[in-house]
Amino acid sequence: MIINATRRHLLTAAVSAPLWAGWAARAAAHGRDADLILYNGRLITMDDANPRASAMAVKDGRIMAVGGDDVRSLAGPGTRMVDLKAACVVPGFIDCHNHPIGDVLLYEVLVGNPFEVEFVTIQSIIDKLRARAAQTPPGYWVDGYFHDDTKLKDGRQLTIDDLDKVSSMHPVMVRHRGGHTVFVNSKALQLAGITRDTPNPPGGTFDRLPDGRLSGRITDNAIDLVEEKGQRPVIDAAERAKRSRAGQAHISAAFSRYGLTSVHHQGGDLAAIQDVRAAGQLTHRVSYEARGAFLDQMVAAGLKTGFGDDWIRLGATAEHLADGSFSERTMAMSTPYAGRTPAYYGNITEPQEVLDAWVEKMVRAGIQPNIHANGDVTIGMALTAFERALAKLPVKDLRPKITHCTLVNDSLLKRMAAIGAVPAPFTSYAYYNSDKFGFYGADKMANAMAFRSFLDHGIKVCAGSDFFPGPFAPLMGIQGMVTRTGWNGETWGANQRVTALEAIRINTLNGAWAAKEEAIKGSLTAGKLADYVVLADDPTAIAAARIKDIAIIETVVDGRTMYKA
C-alpha cells in the first residue's frame, strides 16, 4: 500500500495530545478521507498550540486535523466540503449548571419569559393563573413558573392580595425563576396552618407586609411547609414518562439552537434522557449530576464520577444546597442586607457539620462533590468541608465544584486555588439580572461573579447559566462577562471584566475541565470530539455590546448537524 506522506505528516503534526496519536496515525496509514472539511473560516480553537486556524477536517465524529489550506489535502471523493465564507467556528459551548425543565416549558403556566428580558404585568399573571384555575378542581394547586420580581411593569412586588384575586378555592403558588422564593395566596397559607404569628423556620422566612400581615412571599426552607399541603393532579406513570421524554427532547433542541453541545444536568429523569437518545432526539451531551435517591444508589453500587460514555456520563453531584439565592436576595453574607429590619444576613440551609459529613461521604465514594454556595459565608463553609475531607482522604485531582460561588474575597480565592476548586458562576446574570445588582451595591458587585479574579488566581472557572433562574444563551453570558453591562445600560463590577477570548475559554475548555473531560472536548484539537458551533461573526472582533446578537449558523455534535439556521 502506498501511504500519502503529506496526509500522514499533516495528521501526525496536527495531533498535539499523545492520547490521539495512534488514532491519527491509523487514519493516515489507511488513507482514510475526511468525512467533512470546513475551510475559509475563522477558527478560534482554544488550543494553545494552534490558537487560530482557517480549516478543519472531521472523520467518524472526531476532529481529524486543524490548520490552514493544507487541511484540504485530506479530501476524497466522498468528502463534504464546506466553504465557511469567513464565518467563525468555536468549540461547542458547555453549560456547567443547568436545570433542564423541558416538561415545565411544555406543560405548565409560564408567567415570565424563560429566555429573554421581558417585562410583564401583575394582571397578566393573574389572568394566566385564573385560566388554569378554571380547569382545575377546587383544593388543587395552581402553579405559575418563571416569575421574575424585577421584570414587572407595575414596579412593585407580587403580593398575597394579587394572588387572592386568582382564586379563593385553590391554593396558588407563583414560583420565582430563581428557585428559592415563592409567592402564595391566602388559601395556600390556610391549608398549611401558617399565620402571622408563625415563626420563621431555620434557613427560611415567611415575609410580611409593612402592616405585619403575611405578604405571601416565602423563602428557602420555609417553602416545603406550605408546598407539602393541598392536592396536585395525579398523572399516571405512562403519561408522566411521555411528558418527561417530550420535555427532554424539547430542551435538547433548544440547547442546540443556542450553541450548547454539552450540558451539566441537575438531576432529572435519566431514563427519559436515555429514551430520547435512543430515539435520535438527544442533540447535546449530558453530564448527569445526581441527587437524592439516585445519588444514594450510586454510592451503594460503587458508581463513580465518570461512569458512562461520551453522550451520557455521571458527573459531579447535583448542587448540594448550603444557602439561598443571589437573585432573590437570600444568599448568606457576612454583612446584612441593606434596608432590612431586623438585620437580615440571608439563609444558611445546612450547618457545617452536616455539610462536612456529606462531602466526606462523596469523596470516599469517588464522586466529585458539588455545593451550591452563593454568599461569602457559605463559600467559606464549602471550602472548609472540602479541606477537611481532603485532609482525611488526600484524593488527587478532586476538582470539587462550587456552584454559583457568587460573592468572594481574596482569602476565599486563595483557598480555592490551593485545593483546585472549580467555581461555576452565573454567566447570563450580568446582562439579564443587572436590575438586581442595586440591592447589593457597588462594593459587593465588585467581588461578585468574579471571573477576572478567578482567572488572576489561576482558578479554572467554568460557566453555569443556572437555567431556569437565568437564560442559558452562551452568547448573552459572554457579552455580560466582557462588558458587565446589563440590559438596562447599568455597569456593575467593571473590574471583573474578562476578554472575549477568555470568556469563550470559560464557556468551552474550562467547562470540559470541570467535568474532567478536557482530553476529549473543549477545544478544536485533532482527535477530540467534533463538537463545534459556527457563528456569523467573531466575538473577539466586533463591538462587545453586539456579542449576544451574533447569529448561530450551525451547531454540530459528533460531527453531525444538530441545528442549522
Side-chain angles (χ1 to χ4, degrees):
M1 177 184 290
I2 298 174
I3 298 174
N4 185 320
T6 301
R7 293 162 62 92
R8 182 174 60 186
H9 174 75
L10 174 64
L11 282 164
T12 304
V15 179
S16 57
L19 177 64
W20 305 113
W23 178 88
R26 288 193 299 274
H30 290 286
R32 298 195 303 169
D33 300 328
D35 295 331
L36 166 70
I37 291 178
L38 309 174
Y39 66 96
N40 191 25
R42 292 176 286 173
L43 278 63
I44 302 175
T45 69
M46 291 298 118
D47 183 339
D48 291 339
N50 184 30
R52 293 274 182 166
S54 63
M56 180 170 71
V58 173
K59 179 71 176 179
D60 295 337
R62 290 193 181 268
I63 298 170
M64 195 176 188
V66 179
D69 289 342
D70 51 354
V71 171
R72 298 174 68 174
S73 69
L74 299 173
T79 302
R80 183 163 67 95
M81 304 294 291
V82 176
D83 183 353
L84 290 169
K85 299 178 180 177
C88 181
V89 180
V90 297
F93 295 122
I94 300 173
D95 188 342
C96 292
H97 184 71
N98 194 296
H99 304 263
I101 52 171
D103 52 341
V104 170
L105 295 175
L106 289 176
Y107 300 107
E108 300 294 349
V109 178
L110 308 183
V111 299
N113 188 324
F115 306 112
E116 304 290 344
V117 175
E118 181 183 351
F119 277 66
V120 302
T121 65
I122 289 174
Q123 189 60 50
S124 73
I125 296 173
I126 294 170
D127 291 344
K128 288 182 177 182
L129 295 175
R130 276 179 176 165
R132 177 56 64 93
Q135 304 169 358
T136 305
Y140 282 73
W141 279 97
V142 174
D143 294 287
Y145 291 80
F146 284 96
H147 173 58
D148 189 329
D149 67 311
T150 60
K151 305 293 188 302
L152 292 173
K153 293 180 180 179
D154 306 73
R156 65 172 178 83
Q157 291 287 302
L158 190 65
T159 71
I160 193 170
D161 298 325
D162 299 315
L163 296 182
D164 282 346
K165 296 176 183 177
V166 174
S167 176
S168 61
M169 303 296 292
H170 304 81
V172 176
M173 179 175 287
V174 173
R175 301 171 185 271
H176 195 288
R177 70 177 301 163
H180 291 255
T181 59
V182 298
F183 299 78
V184 301
N185 68 347
S186 295
K187 182 68 173 180
L189 294 174
Q190 176 193 338
L191 289 173
I194 305 298
T195 71
R196 64 189 297 166
D197 298 320
T198 301
N200 291 330
T205 63
F206 298 108
D207 289 3
R208 287 160 172 77
L209 295 167
D211 62 7
R213 290 187 301 130
L214 292 168
S215 70
R217 183 177 186 264
I218 305 172
T219 74
D220 289 309
N221 287 356
I223 296 172
D224 286 347
L225 301 178
V226 175
E227 191 171 25
E228 64 189 11
K229 306 300 181 181
Q231 301 180 77
R232 297 188 183 279
V234 177
I235 302 173
D236 64 45
E239 177 63 19
R240 187 164 58 250
K242 176 184 175 183
R243 291 187 178 193
S244 189
R245 289 191 297 269
Q248 291 294 343
H250 179 77
I251 198 72
S252 190
F255 290 155
S256 295
R257 287 198 306 274
Y258 284 89
L260 287 167
T261 59
S262 292
V263 176
H264 294 201
H265 283 227
Q266 295 301 290
D269 189 338
L270 185 56
I273 297 172
Q274 293 173 310
D275 289 343
V276 169
R277 177 186 181 182
Q281 296 176 300
L282 186 66
T283 62
H284 70 286
R285 302 185 193 275
V286 176
S287 178
Y288 186 84
E289 300 193 335
R291 58 162 41 105
F294 187 88
L295 182 58
D296 292 338
Q297 291 164 8
M298 278 182 62
V299 174
L303 294 177
K304 297 176 171 58
T305 292
F307 180 81
D309 62 18
D310 292 340
W311 278 94
I312 304 173
R313 195 184 305 277
L314 298 178
T317 69
E319 56 178 332
H320 187 83
L321 208 64
D323 73 348
S325 161
F326 169 82
S327 65
E328 297 154 278
R329 286 84 70 194
T330 68
M331 71 179 187
M333 302 191 299
S334 56
T335 56
Y337 284 81
R340 296 287 295 267
T341 304
Y344 176 64
Y345 292 81
N347 299 332
I348 296 174
T349 57
E350 187 165 275
Q352 184 72 60
E353 60 272 16
V354 176
L355 196 61
D356 291 350
W358 179 82
V359 170
E360 183 178 335
K361 180 181 178 180
M362 293 303 107
V363 175
R364 286 188 184 280
I367 299 173
Q368 183 183 7
N370 174 15
I371 294 176
H372 161 119
N374 268 299
D376 58 335
V377 170
T378 38
I379 294 170
M381 291 173 62
L383 289 170
T384 295
F386 295 150
E387 290 160 352
R388 289 173 176 173
L390 286 169
K392 293 180 181 179
L393 307 160
V395 176
K396 292 183 179 179
D397 201 26
L398 180 63
R399 303 187 197 180
K401 191 172 175 182
I402 305 178
T403 288
H404 310 320
C405 201
T406 304
L407 184 63
V408 297
N409 55 49
D410 192 58
S411 174
L412 295 174
L413 291 165
K414 289 176 180 176
R415 291 171 66 189
M416 291 175 65
I419 64 170
V422 181
F426 304 112
T427 49
S428 60
Y429 272 31
Y431 179 82
Y432 177 84
N433 267 332
S434 56
D435 48 12
K436 297 178 176 66
F437 297 168
F439 293 113
Y440 292 98
D443 290 344
K444 284 188 173 66
M445 290 310 303
N447 294 291
M449 290 163 274
F451 288 101
R452 176 81 272 147
S453 294
F454 290 130
L455 294 181
D456 289 349
H457 280 77
I459 297 167
K460 285 187 168 65
V461 57
C462 62
S465 73
D466 197 29
F467 182 82
F468 48 96
F472 56 69
L475 291 174
M476 180 191 290
I478 288 171
Q479 177 172 314
M481 294 161 69
V482 173
T483 66
R484 296 289 289 207
T485 300
W487 64 266
N488 57 3
E490 295 179 0
T491 299
W492 294 87
N495 60 304
Q496 294 297 344
R497 288 171 174 153
V498 297
T499 68
L501 196 63
E502 289 170 329
I504 294 170
R505 181 178 291 268
I506 289 166
N507 280 269
T508 56
L509 189 57
N510 285 13
W513 172 270
K516 301 186 178 182
E517 294 181 314
E518 69 275 11
I520 61 169
K521 64 173 69 166
S523 67
L524 303 180
T525 302
K528 286 192 177 184
L529 298 168
D531 298 354
Y532 60 88
V533 183
V534 182
L535 304 174
D537 218 330
D538 179 347
T540 70
I542 66 170
R546 292 174 48 211
I547 291 174
K548 73 177 181 63
D549 298 318
I550 296 174
I552 307 286
I553 295 175
E554 188 176 16
T555 301
V556 176
V557 180
D558 212 43
R560 294 180 285 134
T561 298
M562 298 301 181
Y563 167 78
K564 194 163 188 176

